[in-house]
Amino acid sequence: MSHSLGPLANNLAAYAIYSTAQTEMRHAYKLIEAGDYLGAAAEIDSAAHAAEVLARATSDLDAERSERWLGVVVARRRFADQARARASDTALALAA
């Protein structure tokens, strides 16, 4: 994330990625409430990817922050897997 405006542009780009991921997570929670677990899993996967981008972007600047972002990646991927499992369980229950 380099830009001719320097660190300010980098901060703005990082904030935009973070903000988009937060919006995706809020949307995922709404999808879960509506019973759309696969849709929620897709949103959560996207938010996990955003956290991964932030981890890579911060790795050279702040190793501790990068490690925290990697923890977020793991947690979001686990959450997406749980949503997919719930979708599968729901589909099986409906088929029975």
Side-chain angles (χ1 to χ4, degrees), residues 52-67 69-70:
E52 190 172 26
V53 169
L54 290 170
R56 281 195 309 267
T58 59
S59 65
D60 291 340
L61 305 171
D62 187 341
E64 185 178 320
R65 182 171 293 187
S66 180
E67 284 299 315
W69 279 119
L70 290 173

Side-chain angles (χ1 to χ4, degrees), residues 33-58:
E33 289 174 359
D36 182 359
Y37 297 104
L38 287 179
E43 291 289 326
I44 298 164
D45 281 334
S46 182
H49 177 71
E52 190 172 26
V53 169
L54 290 170
R56 281 195 309 267
T58 59

Side-chain angles (χ1 to χ4, degrees), residues 3-92:
H3 191 277
S4 60
L5 292 175
L8 175 60
N10 292 343
N11 288 341
L12 292 174
Y15 180 76
I17 293 167
Y18 169 80
S19 179
T20 300
Q22 291 303 100
T23 299
E24 289 169 334
M25 290 302 296
R26 282 191 296 274
H27 188 229
Y29 288 120
K30 288 179 184 175
L31 290 171
I32 288 170
E33 289 174 359
D36 182 359
Y37 297 104
L38 287 179
E43 291 289 326
I44 298 164
D45 281 334
S46 182
H49 177 71
E52 190 172 26
V53 169
L54 290 170
R56 281 195 309 267
T58 59
S59 65
D60 291 340
L61 305 171
D62 187 341
E64 185 178 320
R65 182 171 293 187
S66 180
E67 284 299 315
R68 285 195 306 263
W69 279 119
L70 290 173
V72 170
V73 172
V74 169
R76 286 181 177 169
R77 286 187 178 153
R78 189 174 342 139
F79 189 24
D81 289 342
Q82 290 170 346
R84 277 188 284 279
R86 182 69 180 258
S88 178
D89 292 347
T90 301
L92 289 175

